[in-house]
Amino acid sequence: MGEKSVLQEKWIQEVRPGLLATGKYCNLHEVPKLEKIVINCCVGSAADPKVAVEEAIRQLSLITGQRPIRTVARKSISNFKLRKGQPIGCKVTLRGRRMFEFLERLLWAALPRVRDFRGLSPRSFDGRGNYTFGIEDPTVFPEVELEETKRSLGFDITIVTTARTDAEAKELLARLGIPFADMKKPEVVAA
């Protein structure tokens, strides 16, 4: 199986026992956990959608270390010049060790490189304990080189948890290190 990632060790050693100690859960198996991370990229109204989808697949495979699958239109919409079966994007589902490794790179390498980053919105929960946010510029990931990108394709990241409520999910994600915008910043003492 291999070694566990740093964030996975933190989950086992600190986060799970800390959540169990809050008294909300009777059993260790009731404690919310990360189930999967889904990264979705849609090319939208690109001039050449086939080339744009190939570019998106290349970028997502660099970022995640896993080959994405193509997503196609389910029905035709004439106003958007969209035909049924036309490739419109790609997605990747990460679980287990790859999920924790991606989350580490996201938290420690990519989010600090986002310009004017003030934290993630705490209002992006879906009501069932899942959290979704978007990354507009994939070059914040160190794996994607700026010179090799022809177009900037943003993507959505959905973190799926086993939490029953948004409050439980927010507490889990905050303990894992997700920087929410409404969290209190540590005070800096001027010398």
Side-chain angles (χ1 to χ4, degrees):
M1 176 104 186
E3 296 180 20
K4 291 180 173 42
S5 68
V6 175
L7 200 59
Q8 200 168 4
E9 285 292 332
K10 180 180 179 180
W11 156 251
I12 293 169
Q13 302 295 328
E14 297 173 25
V15 176
R16 190 168 53 182
L19 287 171
L20 188 62
T22 61
K24 296 178 188 174
Y25 311 104
C26 302
N27 189 336
L28 186 66
H29 299 290
E30 284 183 323
V31 176
K33 61 183 178 183
L34 295 180
E35 194 172 312
K36 62 185 174 181
I37 295 178
V38 180
I39 301 123
N40 178 36
C41 180
C42 183
V43 296
S45 59
D48 189 5
K50 289 185 180 183
V51 175
V53 168
E54 289 301 320
E55 177 76 15
I57 287 174
R58 191 183 65 74
Q59 284 183 3
L60 274 184
S61 61
L62 276 175
I63 291 169
T64 61
Q66 185 171 311
R67 180 109 175 127
I69 62 169
R70 293 175 199 267
T71 54
V72 295
R74 287 186 264 165
K75 61 182 179 178
S76 298
I77 302 173
S78 63
N79 288 344
F80 298 125
K81 297 179 182 172
L82 191 63
R83 301 285 171 249
K84 183 178 181 179
Q86 178 182 349
I88 56 171
C90 59
K91 71 176 183 176
V92 175
T93 302
L94 302 172
R95 298 175 194 268
R97 182 181 170 142
R98 280 198 178 156
M99 171 184 66
F100 280 105
E101 288 174 353
F102 172 77
L103 198 56
E104 281 179 11
R105 283 181 288 146
L106 177 73
L107 294 176
W108 300 336
L111 289 180
R113 293 176 67 180
V114 173
R115 183 176 300 202
D116 296 330
F117 182 70
R118 291 190 174 85
L120 297 172
S121 171
R123 295 180 290 174
S124 296
F125 287 94
D126 68 349
R128 294 187 214 119
N130 305 319
Y131 184 71
T132 302
F133 62 97
I135 299 283
E136 294 177 10
D137 186 19
T139 59
V140 296
F141 285 93
E143 297 88 2
V144 179
E145 294 181 17
L146 186 59
E147 295 82 28
E148 293 183 12
T149 57
K150 297 179 182 102
R151 58 182 60 85
S152 181
L153 298 169
F155 47 86
D156 299 325
I157 300 172
T158 302
I159 301 173
V160 180
T161 67
T162 59
R164 287 176 249 141
T165 64
D166 290 345
E168 290 178 0
K170 184 176 179 186
E171 184 177 0
L172 166 68
L173 295 177
R175 286 179 183 243
L176 281 173
I178 303 271
F180 290 108
D182 64 349
M183 292 173 51
K184 292 186 178 184
K185 309 274 190 291
E187 294 182 21
V188 178
V189 179

